[in-house]
Every structure is written in C-alpha cells, then in structure tokens.
Amino acid sequence: MATTQEIAFKEPAARVAERQAAFGATDELPEMQGEKMVLNMGPSHPATHGVLRIILEMDGEIITKADPDIGYLHRGDEKIAENMTYTQFIPYTDRLDYLAPLANNVAYALAVEKLMGIDGQLTPRCQYIRVICCELARVSAHLLGLGAFAMDVGALTVFLHTFAQRETVYNLAEALTGARFTTSYTRIGGLSRDIPAGWIEAVRKFLDECAVAIDESDKLLTRNRIWVDRTKDVGIISKADAIDFGLSGPNLRGSGVDFDVRKAHPYLCYKDFDFEIPIGSVGDCYDRYLVRQEEMRQSLRIIRQAIDKLPGGPINIPDGKTVLPPKDKVLTGMEELIHQFMLVTQGVNAPKGEVYFGAENPKGELGFYINSRGGGTPYRLKIRAPSFVNLSILAKLLPGHMMSDTVAILGSLDFVMGECDR
Amino acid sequence: MSQTAQDLAEKLSAQFPEAFVAAVEFRGEVTLKLKDAAKIADVCAFAKKDLGFDYLVDLTSIDNYGEDPRWTVVYELYGMLTHRSYLRIKTDVSEEKSELPSISGVWATANWHEREAYDMMGIRFAGHPDLRRILMWEGYPYFPLRKDFPLAGKPSEMPDVAFTRRAPLEGGPFVTLAGGKDSMEREPRVRTPEE
C-alpha cells in the first residue's frame, strides 16, 4: 500500500562510470551490427527550438554520429554593426537571444561603455534598473527553457504554468519599455526611460506569483518518475569537456564548474546583492534542469533586494556628449542642440582601442568584442554567442545516445538560434 | 586582477623570447601581440598547459582592409579553474598567406570559432579537422565579413545549391555612415553597394 516511492540516486562518480560502461569506452563506440541510416532532424522540428538542423547517423535507435548544421537564421549582425553607430545597433541586440532581449541590451550597452571608459560612472539608479531587467529576462528565459524542455519530453502541463508567468514578464516589459519583445531599452550611458508609476508594485506582485509557479513546476517535475527517467544520466557532460568546449551559463554550472560572471567578475551592482550560484554534480540533463530551476529562485531574490533598495536620482550619465539631452532642452538650448545633432549624426565618440565584455545572460556568457578605430562606429564587433558555443558540443555529446534522448539533450542545453546564427 | 594578467603575460613572453610585441593594457585588459602567426599553436598550448588558461572564451578575426598584413586573429583566453584572469593574444596574417595553424587541438571550442572565421573572412586554419563553412552554406562563393563585401550583399548563382540576390531595398537597409565627411553622407538613406 505504499503510496510514495523514493527515487534513489547513486554517487555522482558511480553514475558517470556506469553510464560510460554501458556505452563501452567514452570515445569509441562498441562495434555495432547492421546498416547505418542517416536521419535528418530539423531545420523545422519541434524539438530543435528554431532552425537547428542535425544530421544524425543512426544504428537502429542509437546515434553513431551527429553533425549539427547551423546558419539558417544568419542575418549578418556583425556586418550590420560595422555600418552603423553604436546606438543604432541596440535594436539588433534584441534579436540575438530573443527570449531575453532586455539582458542583451544591457550586455551590449555595458560593452560599449567599457570601451568608452564610462562604465564606472553609471548612476546607481541606472545600475539597479539594469539588474532588475537582467534578472527579469533570466526568469523569463528560464521559464520558457524549462517549459519547452518539459513539453518536448512529454510534460505539457509545465509549459502552460510557465507560460502564464512569462506573459506577466512581457506585460512588465511593455510597461517599462513600450514593447513586449523588441525592447531596445538601454542607451549608451543610461536607459531610454525611467520606471513608470506603479511598475514596482507590479513587479512585487509578479515575484510572489512567480515563486508559486516555480514551486508548482518543481512539484510536477523534480520527483516525477517519467521526467527523472528521461533526464537522469542522459547527456552527461564532464567538467573537463564543459570547459574544453567553452560552455557557459547553466550548462557549464550543471557540470559542476562554479563560474558565474556575476560572481567571478561582478559588473553593474551585483556586488550589493546576496545570492547563490547553484551548480550540478553529474552534468546530465537533470542537473541542468535543477540548476535553471534554482537560478530562477535566485533571480527572484535579486529582484526583491533590488526593488527594496532602488535608489533615486537620474538614470543617465550627465554628459551631453554620450547621452541624448532632454528634448525640451534641445529645443531651447544651443549647447544641447549641438550635442543632439552630433550624437544623432556621428554617434558617441569612442576612443581607439579594443575591449571584450562578457555578461552572464540566461543562455550563458554573452560577450562583445569591440575593435574601435575611434569615432561612432565599431571597426569590428564580434558577438560571442553562448548558444553558438554551447551547441558545438553536440557532435561529441550525442553519439551513443538513443534517438529519443536527443530531444531531452537539446531541451536541456536551452539554446536560441537567433543568437547562435546572429 | 589585472596585475595577474600582467604577470601571466610576462611569463608567456619569457617562454617565447622575442616572439611578442610588448604587452598593451587598455581598460584593464592585457593584450599581447605575437609577431609570427606560425607559432600561435605552440603559444596557446603552452598557455593552456603551463599558465592555466584552460578556457578559450572567444576567437575573432579582423579585416584590416587596405593595410598589410590584412588579417588579425584575436584569441581571448581565460583561466577557469585556476587564476580567473583574462589574456588576449593577437597575431597578424598576410593576405597572400591567409593561413595560420589551428588551435582546435588545444581547445575543442576553437573548432567552431575557426570555422566561423574561415566562413566569414576566408582565413584558413592549417590542421583543422573539419574546415567547412558554418553559417553560410557549402558552395557559397564569397566571404561576407570582408570589408570589400558590400552590406547589401552580392548576387550569386549556384545551380542546385542556392542563390542570393542583393537585399530587397537595392542597397538598403537605410544606413548611416557615421563620421562621413558631410551630412549627405551621414544621414540615413538607401545606398547602393557602389557608394
């Protein structure tokens, strides 16, 4: 008459060893019988979350070779960036990881500000609002990531729970920026606008509701027999592999590497907040799921602290050569008019030099390498897209798994093709 | 923080005497420039093995169009499990050669980064296990991130593969040439690739 059954986990090391023993040696697959079959997965497949195509070589149900084919969403963002001013490129960053546009805006603005050497001058209010934006984006991206992951392996209900919360985040983004999706919220040296009236209360309400929704999805999944069977010990990425392949974000932490840019190299005002970095022990799909689940809770914690301590004051750097002056001043003052004209036609005046700035985005470390030869346009802007780097491990990770595991592995890597292909 | 990066840069320079131009520090980041691109694989292998740079953050290529050498390849190194410092290594490659050793044997992540650099600019990496196009498709004839490739694209015809035309606005999107010499050049307008 037992009603509950404990799910037993062995020691991490034993689990990895057992899994590897099942496939023979790690690198070489056991000699298999039968004719190989090539299976084309994607670019339009519900589990590939966009336009990823994987050419799989199968021996029965077992994958023997995987060749990811990307680039279906390539728009040449880096080329476009070379042909416009720094500020004009902000809307393009919305379209990188389009599940977390606010976080992309912040990462890009910080990279340009680092190049200009004004990242230390950002006003406290601006920094706090940016942190709130980043963490809202993280919650929103992880909600979708988990919902879609669960849906792909058959748990549709979770998706409905998480999507209801995402809707609230979109409403918050709309109230804050005027757009639900393409937020383009940051400016070099500040923000496009301040928080609207009543927004903080709405965020507070969201924090309470979202915490409940996360607990609900937790109850639906974490000790769910089917979920555990589909994800536990599937798609194990060892710590060494995770570092060698340059993984970042929850995928790296799922493999047990304690690295989060927010803690390792704090930017904005992340130093002011009390939060923890969850890490996994085995590096399987289940660990990556747990890491994301906990990260959402930590993000809610950060937002709560940020809105409690939100300082007043201006949101922009008081420098007419960097941030657009207020419109009423432009129409009445000579100096402001000149600043406005110069900023719109020439852009901010960045010095000669090169910087790399990486921010901890929901998918991993989104980095911008900017090579400037002075003036308002980057000479070369390289986007280090976490999804691009995270997907490069597929060729190594997939072989040896069952076809049906692919869906779980792709869901657990949580990538966005808009960012991968740029 | 940046002191460690300086120390590591010195150690690297000491291991390969005369191989580097003096380290440059800008915004707290240390950049080392390697004179001879052929040594890049050895330098990276040493940096990983002996200096603890176990993580390659990024690999970028730059087109210095109109200058010689034309290409610059930039490596962004990081010590994940060790000192947690960044170091940037740069090296130049001439247009005639357009080839340098691959470091995909040092960090597995370099595999895709090098494929991208090849795809976008046409720089080849000797010893790369699988140097194919990655973002553009197999058979595409141009290298779109080169400075002499127009923003609107070029028409291309590849029977049985794919084709491209110029962007629909014939020269658009509406592009500002920041810092252009006069306002006619600066203001956003449709531009033909010849401009």
Side-chain angles (χ1 to χ4, degrees):
Chain A
M1 289 294 277
T3 48
T4 53
Q5 190 187 353
E6 278 301 308
I7 300 171
F9 287 95
K10 286 181 198 156
E11 281 298 303
R15 285 166 60 193
V16 174
E18 193 179 276
R19 188 73 191 182
Q20 283 172 351
F23 289 129
T26 36
D27 293 331
E28 230 159 302
L29 292 165
E31 201 60 43
M32 278 180 273
Q33 302 287 315
E35 221 172 274
K36 303 262 177 77
M37 182 182 88
V38 175
L39 185 70
N40 187 35
M41 187 176 180
S44 53
H45 183 285
T48 58
H49 300 192
V51 282
L52 171 69
R53 175 181 176 220
I54 314 174
I55 302 153
L56 298 166
E57 193 186 89
M58 315 276 303
D59 184 336
E61 273 283 289
I62 310 272
I63 298 164
T64 53
K65 203 178 142 202
D67 180 16
D69 184 8
I70 62 170
Y72 287 90
L73 211 56
H74 179 60
R75 293 145 296 178
D77 277 347
E78 292 170 8
K79 183 89 182 171
I80 292 170
E82 290 171 9
N83 287 280
M84 52 177 54
T85 64
Y86 289 106
T87 314
Q88 282 176 319
F89 190 65
I90 291 171
Y92 288 87
T93 62
D94 296 337
R95 289 141 176 95
L96 290 173
D97 173 2
Y98 43 74
L99 303 172
L102 282 167
N104 303 338
N105 296 159
V106 172
Y108 172 72
L110 283 168
V112 179
E113 283 152 8
K114 183 173 180 183
L115 172 70
M116 297 179 64
I118 55 171
D119 46 347
Q121 301 169 25
L122 290 174
T123 65
R125 188 172 175 85
C126 169
Q127 298 194 22
Y128 270 74
I129 297 176
R130 283 186 181 187
V131 165
I132 296 172
C133 287
C134 282
E135 298 309 317
L136 275 179
R138 191 181 322 278
V139 173
S140 156
H142 283 358
L143 281 173
L144 181 92
L146 284 186
F149 180 15
M151 187 170 66
D152 288 345
V153 295
L156 185 74
T157 323
V158 182
F159 182 77
L160 302 174
H161 278 285
T162 60
F163 231 70
Q165 292 306 314
R166 267 180 67 84
E167 178 64 21
T168 320
V169 182
Y170 280 139
N171 288 338
L172 290 172
E174 187 182 10
L176 182 66
T177 72
R180 293 163 70 78
F181 231 68
T182 49
T183 51
S184 307
Y185 183 51
T186 55
R187 295 289 178 269
I188 313 303
L191 302 165
S192 65
R193 61 182 84 184
D194 206 340
I195 291 176
W199 196 74
I200 293 292
E201 287 66 46
V203 173
R204 244 183 248 282
K205 187 157 164 280
F206 163 74
L207 293 180
D208 295 337
E209 288 172 3
C210 188
V212 176
I214 294 171
D215 286 346
E216 270 172 358
S217 67
D218 193 33
K219 275 181 206 152
L220 282 168
L221 291 176
T222 307
R223 305 191 71 71
N224 178 330
R225 184 86 236 179
I226 303 170
W227 173 256
V228 173
D229 282 350
R230 287 296 303 270
T231 58
K232 190 169 75 92
D233 295 348
V234 170
I236 294 178
I237 303 173
S238 69
K239 201 169 172 175
D241 269 353
I243 293 174
D244 199 25
F245 279 88
L247 299 196
S248 53
N251 298 331
L252 179 69
R253 291 191 284 276
S255 295
V257 182
D258 183 10
F259 176 76
D260 187 309
V261 188
R262 294 175 294 170
K263 281 273 190 207
H265 305 282
Y267 52 97
L268 290 172
C269 52
Y270 275 110
K271 266 195 188 126
D272 300 358
F273 304 118
D274 187 23
F275 64 103
E276 277 152 41
I277 304 299
I279 58 171
S281 56
V282 176
D284 57 3
C285 296
Y286 189 67
D287 277 1
R288 291 191 280 278
Y289 152 74
L290 289 178
V291 165
R292 289 207 174 80
Q293 190 81 274
E294 185 55 31
E295 269 187 17
M296 286 195 285
R297 296 203 174 92
Q298 297 297 332
S299 289
L300 295 182
R301 213 172 133 193
I302 296 174
I303 301 173
R304 211 178 285 278
Q305 295 171 51
I307 56 179
D308 283 343
K309 291 197 278 187
L310 184 67
I315 52 165
N316 290 334
I317 294 178
D319 174 13
K321 290 194 164 64
T322 313
V323 183
L324 282 181
K327 195 71 186 172
D328 54 330
K329 293 259 177 61
V330 173
L331 298 175
T332 51
M334 191 65 204
E335 196 182 354
E336 280 81 5
L337 180 67
I338 295 170
H339 283 154
Q340 157 103 12
F341 180 78
M342 294 302 282
L343 274 176
V344 171
T345 56
Q346 309 246 344
V348 292
N349 191 19
K352 207 170 162 230
E354 55 186 337
V355 292
Y356 171 83
F357 176 80
E360 187 66 37
N361 261 35
K363 309 290 177 208
E365 182 178 339
L366 175 68
F368 291 93
Y369 167 80
I370 304 176
N371 188 303
S372 160
R373 298 197 165 184
T377 312
Y379 185 74
R380 172 84 167 95
L381 184 138
K382 161 81 197 246
I383 303 163
R384 188 247 188 227
S387 296
F388 177 84
V389 182
N390 287 348
L391 279 180
S392 68
I393 201 172
L394 279 183
K396 162 113 197 233
L397 185 60
L398 285 180
H401 284 92
M402 307 279 272
M403 175 62 209
S404 53
D405 291 338
T406 318
V407 178
I409 291 172
L410 290 179
S412 76
L413 285 179
D414 190 22
F415 52 89
V416 173
M417 293 316 282
E419 177 180 74
C420 174
D421 294 346
R422 285 155 287 153
Chain B
M1 225 299 289
S2 91
Q3 195 51 45
T4 336
Q6 283 283 9
D7 294 345
L8 291 162
E10 269 165 36
K11 277 186 199 156
L12 193 59
S13 311
Q15 176 69 23
F16 298 90
E18 301 292 306
F20 291 101
V21 182
V24 180
E25 191 170 339
F26 179 71
R27 307 285 184 231
E29 299 178 349
V30 179
T31 308
L32 271 177
K33 186 153 189 178
L34 182 66
K35 287 178 196 160
D36 182 8
K39 284 190 191 148
I40 189 70
D42 299 339
V43 168
C44 287
F46 176 78
K48 182 180 181 184
K49 199 164 155 281
D50 294 311
L51 298 182
F53 286 107
D54 49 8
Y55 191 84
L56 179 74
V57 184
D58 194 17
L59 188 158
T60 315
S61 55
I62 302 169
D63 178 4
N64 308 302
Y65 183 58
E67 291 169 25
D68 187 51
R70 181 165 177 186
W71 314 115
T72 305
V73 184
V74 185
Y75 303 82
E76 193 81 36
L77 278 50
Y78 185 68
M80 179 65 76
L81 295 176
T82 49
H83 43 69
R84 299 242 154 145
S85 290
Y86 288 93
L87 179 68
R88 183 181 299 125
I89 299 178
K90 286 167 70 168
T91 189
D92 287 341
V93 184
S94 69
E95 190 176 2
E96 305 83 67
K97 198 148 188 287
S98 289
E99 187 169 89
L100 72 166
S102 164
I103 56 155
S104 53
V106 184
W107 295 284
T109 179
N111 185 322
W112 274 28
H113 284 303
E114 287 181 348
R115 278 178 69 186
E116 190 191 333
Y118 163 71
D119 187 9
M120 292 289 122
M121 290 205 185
I123 305 169
R124 293 184 307 278
F125 294 87
H128 190 284
D130 184 24
L131 199 62
R132 285 178 293 141
R133 285 191 176 269
I134 187 163
L135 293 174
M136 307 305 282
W137 54 93
E138 211 50 59
Y140 184 73
Y142 307 116
F143 298 108
L145 219 51
R146 289 186 174 183
K147 290 281 179 186
D148 49 1
F149 184 86
L151 182 63
K154 277 184 186 173
S156 68
E157 198 72 53
M158 287 147 283
D160 305 327
V161 188
F163 63 89
T164 54
R165 297 198 190 100
R166 266 189 201 157
L169 285 171
E170 277 301 312
F174 292 85
V175 178
T176 308
L177 286 185
K181 65 178 188 302
D182 53 33
S183 61
M184 284 292 282
E185 207 166 272
R186 282 194 298 265
E187 68 183 36
R189 60 171 67 233
V190 177
R191 291 177 195 283
T192 59
E194 287 74 39
E195 269 183 72

